[in-house]
Amino acid sequence: MVLDSAGVRLRPITQADRHTWRRVRQANAGWLGPWDATAPASSGAQPRSFAAMVRAMRREARAGRQLPFVIELDGRFVGQLTVSNVLRGSAQFASVGYWVDEAYAGRGIVTRAVAMAVDHCFGPVGLHRVEVAIRPENHASLRVVEKLGFAQVGLAPRYLHIDGEWRDHRLFALTQEDVPGGLLAQLEQRRAEGAGDRSSQQSQE
């Protein structure tokens, strides 16, 4: 499944992304390190290679528990977005996580990518609720959910092991009922209204 909007594309991650993924991650080690998931020493987990990570993601995807995407801008690899923890039954729920190359941060790319992913989850995938967990210190990521209208639904102390410690997270969520016309359409409408407001203000100056 490939999703496109205004030059931003979500496509499944593959083993062919290995060299590009490594190059982008290495170049952004300082930018991404404070927000990267880690494993506590007590877990005994060992660092995984890119190949092992992709195999695990694809296995979860085949089982219907995950949607692992690469984020591209005009055909260039700029980040990653993963829909994970997909629960069916009475929950119909999933979590969304993402990261982007620092050189492309602040340009609305992740905001659009998340909107596309949520619409896909609420449409073809048939989910009812999508959640995003963000550290309170991660202001760039917080701006994404704020622009998309996610509601904060809670604070989870020591929720995930990030950058070597158990970290508190703010929890944000959307349901199908929150975006009846689609999240991407809602985003476009907000941006059009914002542009209209700026144009009106300029005409009055």
Side-chain angles (χ1 to χ4, degrees), residues 27-43:
N28 286 269
W31 164 255
L32 298 173
W35 321 114
D36 274 346
T38 48
S42 59
S43 72

Side-chain angles (χ1 to χ4, degrees), residues 3 5-10 24-25 28 31-32 35 69-74 76-83 96-119 130 132-134 138-150 174 183-184 187 191:
L3 309 174
S5 175
V8 178
R9 169 177 287 189
L10 293 178
V24 173
R25 292 289 307 188
N28 286 269
W31 164 255
L32 298 173
W35 321 114
F69 290 113
V70 159
I71 305 173
E72 293 182 337
L73 178 66
D74 298 326
R76 184 181 181 86
F77 183 112
V78 298
Q80 195 173 344
L81 181 150
T82 305
V83 179
V96 174
Y98 45 81
W99 62 264
V100 69
D101 186 332
E102 185 178 13
Y104 294 88
R107 296 169 55 176
I109 296 166
V110 171
T111 303
R112 185 171 293 275
V114 172
M116 287 193 291
V118 169
D119 283 349
V130 170
V132 181
I134 303 173
N138 192 343
H139 301 295
S141 195
L142 288 171
R143 285 196 296 273
V144 171
V145 293
E146 288 166 1
K147 285 188 287 187
L148 291 173
F150 276 75
L174 276 179
L183 187 53
L184 187 57
L187 174 65
R191 288 182 171 174

Side-chain angles (χ1 to χ4, degrees), residues 79-171:
Q80 195 173 344
L81 181 150
T82 305
V83 179
S84 59
N85 303 321
V86 177
L87 297 177
R88 293 297 185 174
S90 60
Q92 299 299 326
F93 159 88
S95 301
V96 174
Y98 45 81
W99 62 264
V100 69
D101 186 332
E102 185 178 13
Y104 294 88
R107 296 169 55 176
I109 296 166
V110 171
T111 303
R112 185 171 293 275
V114 172
M116 287 193 291
V118 169
D119 283 349
H120 183 62
C121 287
F122 288 165
V125 180
L127 299 179
H128 176 252
R129 184 173 182 271
V130 170
E131 184 177 282
V132 181
I134 303 173
R135 286 182 58 187
E137 306 88 350
N138 192 343
H139 301 295
S141 195
L142 288 171
R143 285 196 296 273
V144 171
V145 293
E146 288 166 1
K147 285 188 287 187
L148 291 173
F150 276 75
Q152 182 168 336
V153 295
L155 176 66
R158 298 174 296 281
Y159 183 64
L160 292 173
H161 202 269
I162 304 290
D163 192 28
E165 298 288 344
W166 291 106
R167 310 288 185 176
D168 297 348
H169 281 68
R170 293 170 65 183
L171 304 181

